[in-house]
Amino acid sequence: MSELIAQSPADPLALAREWIPASVHPGPLMTLATIDEDGLPDARSVLLTELDADGFHFHTDLASRKVAQLRAHPEVALCIPLVAEARQLTVQGRAREADAAELARAYAARPPYLQQLAWLNSHEFAELPQPERVSRWQAFAAAHPDGFAQAPGWTGFVVEPVRMTFWFGSTETASRRLEYRRGDDGWRAHVRAG
């Protein structure tokens, strides 16, 4: 058995939680890749809002293009670069919508800016001239001095992984990857070239 496998947890989600501590909230930016209505790949950055035994959680606007894509094709990929540590985590999995309890918990944990963003981040708002956008943003904040209730157009997803690949960079030797694949009997790990 490889020394890298021997030193790593059997559950890749445990290793992911070592790499991305729960104290970092919201978590890092990650690239979410989906499949569009023409079968082409689509990608964008989203915030990792939670990482637990179920998988990787993120939240977004219900009217966004990615929500329609996820509902049609729940198969996704994530890429989480951890540049300062010379590491990268990639994930293949399936996304499922978060339940109401998780949405409430996640929304309450968001900073005020991200809560307000859930209310105002619309195509109509984006089309406004910058001075009007700033004015409306400030007016909305002033009208809600006690905070923002959960926005009705806000939702979330959990990506349940089937493959997780941990890339270890190095300036002293070649990089390498630790790849986990989920099978019927649980996770299996393999070391791969970087």
Side-chain angles (χ1 to χ4, degrees), residues 114-134:
L114 292 178
Q115 289 180 345
Q116 183 173 346
L117 184 65
W119 280 96
L120 296 180
N121 194 24
S122 68
H123 300 307
E124 294 76 22
F125 190 82
E127 290 177 356
L128 296 173
Q130 182 70 2
E132 188 174 350
R133 290 165 41 81
V134 171

Side-chain angles (χ1 to χ4, degrees), residues 29-180:
L29 273 177
M30 59 184 183
T31 300
L32 167 69
T34 54
I35 302 166
D36 76 6
E37 61 278 0
D38 297 319
L40 295 172
D42 198 357
R44 79 288 291 148
S45 295
V46 297
L47 284 173
L48 173 65
T49 52
E50 189 175 348
L51 172 58
D52 62 17
D54 291 331
F56 298 79
H57 302 246
F58 67 92
H59 298 85
T60 190
D61 188 284
L62 195 57
S64 69
R65 183 173 61 217
K66 64 184 154 297
V67 170
Q69 292 172 354
L70 290 167
R71 286 178 171 172
H73 300 282
E75 302 82 12
V76 300
L78 303 173
C79 180
I80 307 170
L82 303 165
V83 177
E85 296 83 9
R87 294 177 173 174
Q88 177 177 273
L89 171 58
T90 58
V91 178
Q92 280 185 317
R94 291 178 184 80
R96 65 169 169 79
E97 289 193 58
D99 62 33
E102 182 203 318
L103 290 177
R105 182 180 74 245
Y107 192 82
R110 288 168 78 85
Y113 169 82
L114 292 178
Q115 289 180 345
Q116 183 173 346
L117 184 65
W119 280 96
L120 296 180
N121 194 24
S122 68
H123 300 307
E124 294 76 22
F125 190 82
E127 290 177 356
L128 296 173
Q130 182 70 2
E132 188 174 350
R133 290 165 41 81
V134 171
S135 174
R136 287 192 186 191
W137 185 272
Q138 292 171 345
F140 191 88
H144 299 86
D146 297 324
F148 307 99
Q150 185 173 319
W154 192 72
T155 192
F157 289 84
V158 183
V159 175
E160 299 170 333
V162 295
R163 186 180 85 188
M164 296 175 63
T165 306
F166 297 82
W167 178 82
F168 297 80
S170 176
T171 58
E172 300 172 338
T173 186
S175 58
R176 60 184 175 171
R177 295 174 293 138
L178 178 59
E179 182 176 278
Y180 290 83

Side-chain angles (χ1 to χ4, degrees), residues 9-20 51-53 164 166 180:
D11 180 356
L13 286 163
L15 182 55
R17 287 191 296 274
E18 288 177 23
W19 280 27
I20 306 168
L51 172 58
D52 62 17
M164 296 175 63
F166 297 82
Y180 290 83

